[in-house]
Structure formats: C-alpha cells, structure tokens
Amino acid sequence: MRKRRGLGDLLHRWPRRDTEQADGWRPTTAIVLSGGGHLGAVHVGQLRALVEHGIEADVYVATSVGALNATVMAALPGMKGVDRLQEIWRGVRTDEIFPGGPMQHAWKIARGHDHLYPSDGMLRLITRAIPVTGFSDLRVPLRIVTAELDSGEEHVFGSGSLLRPLLATTALPGVFPPVRIGDKTYVDGGIVNNVPISHAVDADRVFVLELQEASHEAVPTSSFGLLLRSFAISRANRFRLDLERFRHETEIVVVPQPELPEIRFPDLSHSVELMQLGYHAAVDFLDDILGHAPAAEPAVEELPVPRPALVSVDSGTVAGEALAY
C-alpha cells in the first residue's frame, strides 16, 4: 500500500503535462465528475470552490454531463475554465437541448424511434463550449467514460477527437441517439459507471463531484418516476461499492452535494441557482477540511466571463444520422 499524501502535499502540485505518455508519470490529483444531466451546473460552483482553494486537477475523469464540464476545465485550467462553464450554463436553454412537446414525443414513441430528442442541440452546445478539437490539444489529461452498447462494457476515451466521445457519453439511452465510433456504438457512460473513480485511483488523491437528483416524493407514483428512481438506486449502490473497494488504494475526498430543490428533468432554467448552491456547499466543506477560506468569495452571478469561440470539427455519424457542422 502506498503512503498517502497530506493536504499540504496536495496543494504542492506537480508540473502539468499535456499527455499521460511520459514513463512513470502518475497524476497526483484527480477530479472525478459524475453524470447528472440537467443538474450539471452544480459542478461549476464546486469547481470554482476547488480552484479558489488551490486545488486543480492533474487529470480529469468524467462521464455524461460531467465529461462536458471536465473537458472545458481540461482545455482551460483554473478560473478561465470555470468562467467559461459559468457562461455556458447561464446561456443554455431547455428547448435548445430538448426540443419538441409531448405530442411530438408520443409520435416518436409510437413510431418506434430509439430516441426522443435529436443530437443537434447537444452538438451545438459542445462546439460552443469546447475551444479545442482533440484530446492532444488539452492542457490537462482527460478520460471520458462511455458505455459500449453491444457488449455493455464501459469504455474510456483518452485520445483522438473529442466531439464523438462527448456526444456518446451524453447520449442518455432513449433520450438522445446512440453514437457510432468506428465499428462500435456508444451511449451515456453513466449507465455503467456514473461516478468513475475506478479510472482515477492512480492519483494520490481523488476529489469526487457526484450529483444525485433530489426527490421529495417518498415513492414515485408514475412509471417514468419509478424508472428514474430505480436507476438512481443502482448508480448510488455502485458508487458506495467503489468507495469501499478503492478507499485503501488512494485518498478519496467526496465533495458533498448541496441540498437541492426538486427540479424535474429536463428543466435547465435553474442553472444559476444550482451553481450558487454548489459553490457555497463546497466552500463550507473545503474551509472545514483545509482550515482556511479562499482568498476571495465573489458571488457566482457577479463574476465576469469571456465569450466562447466556436470551433470546427470533423464530420461523423450519430446512430446513422449525418451531422453537418
């Protein structure tokens, strides 16, 4: 068993590398971002708190919406990435990512479609948010966890183009179309490993940003609600088992999720509130374990943010649909 590092060691970060190819190099600090769909803005507040406390990643490991947030941070480390994420989440609209109404969705179900929403909105969001096109362009290594649909195995992307793995890991089955990469089909990594700490245990310390939807209903009364609750229970159990399994291999710090209001999927109109809640809960926690407050605690809504740039990416196919971009 290797010796754990103290918090003082954690704040003395190793030099950042552009790739993980150097012989013997192992990241000292990993940040793991879970899936969470429409609650992903909570990550932005948590990341701001980590950066303000001097904690930044030597590698990001993420799935689903967490992978989108992690990719921005890997491309723009530190407060630049946080500011970019803040602007993206402030500007995103529910109907941009989840267009159409109940009648249109019912028609798709009746016709046997494999998804309710096209990937166009997610594609635009990714290209608006990410200022680079490939893993090799990132300033911090990134591992994106997806699910391979045919075998049911989890698959980790860490090289090549970023767009297709990001589309894949955010492709919640039945909601967005699955994504074809090479000769295999991929979907949201959250269905197999929603909090992928198993791919981060080579770090000295792992900070975990986990999201779970708040439920103020004792037992869901709808079939869809029961389905979502069942998936949540399964994911939570996997996370607990992984914490127990890996707690002797590295030091794992779970940044607590704030108490959240009940926000029904796929409502994205509460992003500013979620960023604020994530920030304040994380600051309180980090102040406690580190014994000091950050140098400054600006309110989330008052922070200046840069405008993102659009990027050009190569063409591809999402579940047989041609993408034009």
Side-chain angles (χ1 to χ4, degrees):
M1 184 185 304
R2 69 172 179 267
K3 181 181 178 182
R4 292 183 180 180
R5 297 189 173 212
L7 280 168
D9 296 318
L10 169 69
L11 298 178
H12 181 67
R13 300 179 61 254
W14 293 1
R16 181 177 290 122
R17 304 288 185 93
D18 288 336
T19 69
E20 295 185 72
Q21 297 176 353
D23 292 340
W25 177 72
R26 174 176 49 78
T28 185
T29 303
I31 296 180
V32 174
L33 290 85
S34 76
H38 61 304
L39 304 177
V42 174
H43 283 156
V44 183
Q46 294 173 321
L47 288 164
R48 179 175 292 279
L50 288 174
V51 171
E52 288 181 354
H53 283 79
I55 301 168
E56 297 186 47
D58 291 287
V59 62
Y60 285 99
V61 181
T63 191
S64 195
V65 70
L68 177 62
N69 291 333
T71 304
V72 174
M73 293 300 297
L76 299 169
M79 204 56 72
K80 287 184 178 180
V82 174
D83 288 343
R84 170 70 63 89
L85 282 173
Q86 182 179 305
E87 182 181 36
I88 292 298
W89 279 99
R90 273 178 167 175
V92 69
R93 304 187 319 273
T94 303
D95 60 358
E96 175 187 4
I97 309 299
F98 305 100
M103 292 299 295
Q104 183 177 356
H105 300 155
W107 181 84
K108 286 188 174 183
I109 293 173
R111 293 293 299 270
H113 287 213
D114 65 357
H115 61 277
L116 293 178
Y117 304 99
S119 57
D120 304 42
M122 186 62 69
L123 173 65
R124 287 190 294 269
L125 178 64
I126 292 171
T127 56
R128 191 164 69 237
I130 311 302
V132 298
T133 60
F135 281 90
S136 62
D137 300 318
L138 299 172
R139 294 182 58 194
V140 179
L142 169 69
R143 302 166 186 169
I144 295 177
V145 178
T146 64
E148 204 271 288
L149 197 57
D150 297 322
S151 68
E153 299 289 331
E154 57 191 88
H155 181 88
V156 180
F157 288 92
S159 62
S161 173
L162 280 164
L163 177 66
R164 309 293 289 288
L166 283 171
L167 279 174
T169 198
T170 53
L172 184 64
V175 177
F176 294 112
V179 177
R180 193 80 174 170
I181 302 177
D183 60 351
K184 296 183 179 180
T185 303
Y186 299 91
V187 293
D188 192 328
I191 69 171
V192 290
N193 195 352
N194 195 52
V195 192
I197 57 176
S198 57
H199 300 289
V201 293
D202 54 348
D204 293 313
R205 175 163 297 168
V206 180
F207 283 87
V208 180
L209 309 184
E210 184 218 7
L211 295 178
Q212 291 188 37
E213 187 168 2
S215 177
H216 303 279
E217 187 179 17
V219 178
T221 56
S222 68
S223 59
F224 187 65
L226 284 169
L227 182 63
L228 290 179
R229 178 69 63 85
S230 298
F231 278 128
I233 292 171
S234 176
R235 291 194 300 264
N237 284 336
R238 165 70 190 265
F239 180 41
R240 283 194 292 268
L241 289 172
D242 278 355
L243 283 177
E244 179 62 26
R245 176 184 177 187
F246 297 114
R247 66 186 179 92
H248 296 300
E249 296 190 28
T250 189
E251 188 162 4
I252 300 173
V253 180
V254 180
V255 178
Q257 175 179 301
E259 183 175 348
L260 298 176
E262 186 169 12
I263 302 173
R264 295 188 179 277
F265 178 85
D267 185 2
L268 297 174
S269 65
H270 299 269
S271 294
V272 171
E273 177 186 6
L274 292 176
M275 287 188 284
Q276 293 170 342
L277 290 171
Y279 173 76
H280 290 297
V283 163
D284 290 343
F285 171 74
L286 294 170
D287 286 353
D288 183 50
I289 67 170
L290 292 173
H292 66 83
E297 297 186 11
V300 171
E301 67 273 14
E302 296 175 357
L303 294 167
V305 289
R307 292 189 61 82
L310 294 176
V311 298
S312 299
V313 291
D314 50 353
S315 60
T317 303
V318 177
E321 296 181 2
L323 298 180
Y325 43 84

